[in-house]
C-alpha cells in the first residue's frame, strides 16, 4: 500500500496541503558541515572506495577537532558510506557485489513505493523542479563521471522528498547514498544518457497519474543500473588535496 503523505490544513480551510519532508541534521552546524564535506567527497568519488580516512589529516584539512571528524564518521557509517573498524580506524566502504545486489533490491522496493505515492500528485512547481534537475543531468551526461552519478542520486532523493513522507525519504536517501558508492566501484562508463531519458519517462508517468506505469518504469530503471558493472581503477591522491574544495564549499578552513 502506498505510504500516506504528511499533510496539514490549508490556511483557508479548503483542504489538506502536502508538507515537504526535510531530513534532520544532528549536532552543531560545524559538525554538520564536516559530515556534508566528507559525504560529498565520497559520493563524487574524490575519496575512493576502500581508502583509509585518517582523523588527524581530515581534522587538519577541515580545521576541526578529531571529535567532530569521528562524529561525521558515525553518521556516514549509518548510511553505509564508511566502515569503522576497532583499533583500525575508518575507511570509505567497499561493498561486495553481493552487498550491492542486496542494496539495490531494497532500493527498488522503496522507490516503487515513491512512484506509486507521487503518481498524479505532482504540483506544477514540483514538476518544474524535476524538469530543471533533468536538464542539469543532460548537461553532465557527456562527462559521465562523479557529477553525473551525484545528480542521478539527487533526482531520486527529490522524488522521495516530494512524497512528504519523512521516513520514506530517510530510507531512500540512505539507499541512494550506498548505490552511489556502489556505482563508483562497479559502474560502467557512458551509461548516464540512458538514465536521463528514463528519468524523463518517469516524470511523464507521474504527471499522467499512471501509478502502475510509474512503478514499473522505476523498477526497470533501477534494475538496468544493476547491470552496469566495470571497475576502472584510478590513482590515489593525498587526502588533504582531495578535501580542500569540499572544505571550502562548507566554510571550513585548515588548522
Amino acid at each position: 500500500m502506498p505510504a500516506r503523505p504528511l499533510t496539514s490544513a490549508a490556511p483557508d480551510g479548503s483542504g489538506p496541503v502536502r508538507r515537504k519532508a526535510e531530513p534532520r541534521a544532528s549536532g552543531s552546524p560545524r559538525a554538520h558541515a564536516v559530515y556534508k564535506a566528507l559525504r560529498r567527497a565520497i559520493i563524487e568519488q574524490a575519496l575512493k572506495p576502500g581508502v583509509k580516512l585518517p582523523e588527524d589529516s581530515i581534522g587538519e584539512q577541515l580545521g576541526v577537532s578529531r571529535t567532530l571528524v569521528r562524529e561525521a564518521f558515525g553518521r556516514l557509517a549509518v548510511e553505509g558510506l564508511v566502515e569503522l573498524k576497532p583499533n583500525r580506524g575508518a575507511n570509505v566502504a567497499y561493498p561486495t557485489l553481493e552487498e550491492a545486489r542486496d542494496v539495490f533490491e531494497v532500493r527498488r522496493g522503496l522507490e516503487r513505493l515513491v512512484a506509486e505515492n507521487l503518481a498524479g500528485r505532482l504540483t506544477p512547481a514540483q514538476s518544474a523542479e524535476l524538469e530543471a534537475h533533468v536538464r542539469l543531468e543532460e548537461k553532465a551526461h557527456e562527462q559521465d563521471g562523479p557529477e553525473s552519478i551525484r545528480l542521478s542520486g539527487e533526482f531520486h532523493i527529490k522524488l522521495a522528498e516530494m512524497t512528504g513522507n519523512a521516513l520514506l525519504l530517510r530510507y531512500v536517501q540512505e539507499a541512494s547514498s550506498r548505490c552511489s558508492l556502489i556505482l563508483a566501484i562497479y559502474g560502467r562508463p557512458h551509461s548516464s544518457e540512458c538514465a536521463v531519458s528514463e528519468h524523463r519517462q518517469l516524470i511523464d508517468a507521474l504527471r499522467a497519474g499512471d501509478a502502475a506505469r510509474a512503478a514499473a518504469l522505476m523498477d526497470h530503471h533501477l534494475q538496468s543500473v544493476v547491470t552496469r558493472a566495470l571497475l576502472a581503477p584510478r590513482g590515489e591522491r593525498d587526502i588533504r588535496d582531495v578535501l580542500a574544495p569540499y572544505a571550502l564549499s562548507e566554510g571550513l578552513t585548515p588548522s
Side-chain angles (χ1 to χ4, degrees):
M1 177 182 296
R4 294 182 179 177
L6 299 177
T7 59
S8 59
D12 60 3
S14 59
V17 175
R18 299 168 67 80
R19 296 204 311 265
K20 187 176 183 180
E22 297 286 352
R24 289 185 291 179
S26 63
S28 67
R30 200 160 178 78
H32 187 60
V34 174
Y35 157 77
K36 286 178 62 181
L38 290 174
R39 185 178 184 279
R40 280 191 57 205
I42 293 172
I43 294 297
E44 295 184 5
Q45 304 176 23
L47 291 174
K48 306 298 181 186
V51 73
K52 186 172 179 58
L53 299 172
E55 292 179 4
D56 51 355
S57 297
I58 292 174
E60 289 173 9
Q61 180 58 49
L62 301 184
V64 299
S65 68
R66 294 174 66 175
T67 299
L68 291 186
V69 174
R70 283 194 294 270
E71 182 178 330
F73 286 171
R75 292 183 64 184
L76 293 166
V78 170
E79 292 186 26
L81 297 180
V82 165
E83 293 178 350
L84 301 176
K85 301 177 181 179
N87 303 319
R88 295 179 61 184
N91 293 73
V92 177
Y94 198 110
T96 65
L97 272 173
E98 182 178 0
E99 290 169 338
R101 294 189 186 100
D102 288 345
V103 170
F104 269 101
E105 183 177 358
V106 170
R107 184 178 174 185
R108 285 170 60 197
L110 290 170
E111 297 215 43
R112 281 197 301 267
L113 189 60
V114 169
E116 291 169 354
N117 188 281
L118 276 184
R121 298 175 180 171
L122 283 182
T123 66
Q126 289 172 334
S127 181
E129 182 180 352
L130 292 174
E131 289 285 357
H133 189 87
V134 169
R135 287 195 292 272
L136 291 177
E137 291 187 81
E138 289 173 335
K139 290 181 180 179
H141 91 265
E142 293 180 1
Q143 289 75 34
D144 195 51
E147 185 180 10
S148 178
I149 292 176
R150 176 179 61 81
L151 287 171
S152 178
E154 288 177 358
F155 174 83
H156 290 266
I157 291 171
K158 280 181 179 292
L159 290 177
E161 190 175 45
M162 289 174 181
T163 67
N165 186 319
L167 188 59
L168 184 56
L169 169 60
R170 173 187 168 188
Y171 290 152
V172 169
Q173 196 165 29
E174 291 183 9
S176 179
S177 296
R178 295 189 190 205
C179 288
S180 295
L181 182 62
I182 288 164
L183 290 176
I185 305 172
Y186 304 110
R188 187 180 67 193
H190 312 303
S191 61
S192 63
E193 184 174 7
C194 176
V196 173
S197 66
E198 291 166 1
H199 285 177
R200 283 202 175 279
Q201 293 170 14
L202 182 57
I203 294 172
D204 290 341
L206 293 174
R207 277 196 296 239
D210 191 338
R213 175 168 168 73
L217 283 169
M218 179 69 82
D219 193 67
H220 177 268
H221 170 56
L222 293 177
Q223 183 59 41
S224 297
V225 176
V226 175
T227 66
R228 300 162 191 166
L230 175 65
L231 175 61
R234 301 181 180 90
E236 292 186 7
R237 297 159 54 199
D238 184 272
I239 199 164
R240 294 177 179 84
D241 295 333
V242 168
L243 290 177
Y246 297 95
L248 181 63
S249 70
E250 299 300 334
L252 300 165
T253 56
S255 56

